[in-house]
Amino acid sequence: MTPLISFNDVSLGYGRRTVLQGVTFSLDKGDFIGIVGPNGSGKTTLIRSLLGTHPIQSGTVDRTSDLRFGYVPQRDQVASHFPVTVMDVVLMGRYDRIGLGRRPSSDDRELAHAALRAVGIMDLEKRPLTNLSGGQKQRALIARALVGQPNVLVLDEPTNGMDLVSTAQILHLVRELHDVEGLTVIMVSHALNEVVNHVERIGLVVDGGVRVGRIEEIVTEETLSSVYGIPVEVDSIHGHRIVLARRGASGNEPKLVERA
């Protein structure tokens, strides 16, 4: 099977400054990959290069001709104070098809309704965006991405700043879109313990590189301890992986590894 995207020994950066180098991995149809790393590690640069909006410094990136992205940015990057409804926001995802100065067609609106149903907020279509909760706004942004009929959904920190319930609901929704709708999904996050229980492969963005592998290959005590440079424990409670970091052998209490 031909990969949707292949990074081959790619270096990424800005001007003469290299942020990531030796990046080599493929995105296959049906993948569900979590990209994890601390702020400033290069996650955003990697995703922009994947989307084709940031040039590479060296190496090659191969893409299939039928690649269609649906991009969900971080909520704090979207101006939510404008007087627009949820339907207005979702239809923005059709603007490249509708064209400037043209009104959405009945087909565009049918697709918008289908996207709203897919994310479970059909009843909010006339609600002003300013009146939504964080979880509802995120669903609206996901619907905006879906209305463009993508085959790859890219989400940038989809649960950032959310409470426990909203986080669980959004992660469940994303997993459902992958399992039921067959979408290829790339989810960027700093929260390792959220990502490891939902994705199938993980990419650790650390020390100027990207290490990609299946969960069972990457999320091991040996691998994570080596990557972080501290003793790391991987445990399981009711079938959910939990990654714990110890500060050393001094008897300090373990803490969740939230920033990989």
Side-chain angles (χ1 to χ4, degrees):
M1 181 174 62
T2 302
L4 295 174
I5 304 174
S6 292
F7 277 66
N8 308 294
D9 196 23
V10 170
S11 292
L12 303 170
Y14 302 87
R16 296 182 178 180
R17 183 172 69 92
T18 298
V19 176
L20 297 172
Q21 57 185 350
V23 179
T24 300
F25 74 96
S26 296
L27 178 71
D28 297 323
K29 183 178 180 180
D31 262 347
F32 191 174
I33 296 182
I35 304 296
V36 183
N39 293 331
S41 62
K43 299 192 305 296
T44 299
T45 305
L46 176 64
I47 291 303
R48 287 176 178 170
S49 297
L50 187 144
L51 294 171
T53 61
H54 185 84
I56 64 175
Q57 292 179 326
S58 63
T60 60
V61 179
D62 300 319
R63 308 168 187 273
T64 58
S65 59
D66 62 343
L67 199 60
R68 301 186 310 278
F69 287 109
Y71 177 56
V72 183
Q74 295 185 35
R75 292 194 320 284
D76 59 8
Q77 296 177 356
V78 178
S80 59
H81 57 278
F82 291 110
V84 293
T85 67
V86 169
M87 176 58 85
D88 293 331
V89 171
V90 175
L91 283 171
M92 290 176 186
R94 296 291 299 174
Y95 281 179
D96 62 328
R97 314 281 182 91
I98 296 170
L100 290 174
R102 299 179 60 187
R103 297 178 63 83
S105 67
S106 58
D107 288 343
D108 293 321
R109 292 189 176 276
E110 286 181 14
L111 287 169
H113 283 145
L116 287 168
R117 283 192 294 271
V119 301
I121 56 170
M122 182 65 188
D123 57 322
L124 301 180
E125 65 169 313
K126 297 180 180 179
R127 184 83 64 85
L129 188 66
T130 54
N131 291 357
L132 301 188
S133 67
Q136 290 169 335
K137 287 179 182 177
Q138 191 66 294
R139 287 174 183 265
L141 294 177
I142 294 174
R144 185 181 69 172
L146 294 178
V147 79
Q149 298 177 297
N151 51 16
V152 180
L153 183 64
V154 181
L155 305 105
D156 191 357
E157 299 280 4
T159 62
N160 196 28
M162 288 188 182
D163 60 33
L164 184 63
V165 173
S166 296
T167 293
Q169 291 173 341
I170 291 298
L171 291 174
H172 177 76
L173 169 63
V174 174
R175 183 76 215 191
E176 192 173 63
L177 290 171
H178 171 265
D179 292 344
V180 178
E181 303 295 332
L183 276 175
T184 302
V185 178
I186 303 171
M187 184 166 63
V188 181
S189 179
H190 66 267
L192 180 60
N193 276 290
E194 291 177 6
V195 170
V196 295
N197 289 298
H198 292 85
V199 303
E200 294 164 355
R201 291 204 293 159
I202 195 163
L204 292 180
V205 184
V206 289
D207 295 332
V210 182
R211 180 170 181 175
V212 179
R214 298 193 64 81
I215 288 292
E216 57 269 23
E217 298 169 350
I218 300 294
V219 186
T220 67
E221 294 183 351
E222 181 180 2
T223 298
L224 294 179
S225 295
S226 174
V227 167
Y228 296 150
I230 58 174
V232 172
E233 297 180 10
V234 179
D235 207 341
S236 176
I237 298 179
H238 303 301
H240 286 264
R241 290 182 178 88
I242 296 179
V243 181
L244 302 168
R246 291 188 181 275
R247 294 180 179 176
S250 59
N252 290 337
E253 289 298 316
K255 294 186 177 182
L256 290 175
V257 175
E258 286 298 329
R259 298 187 176 272

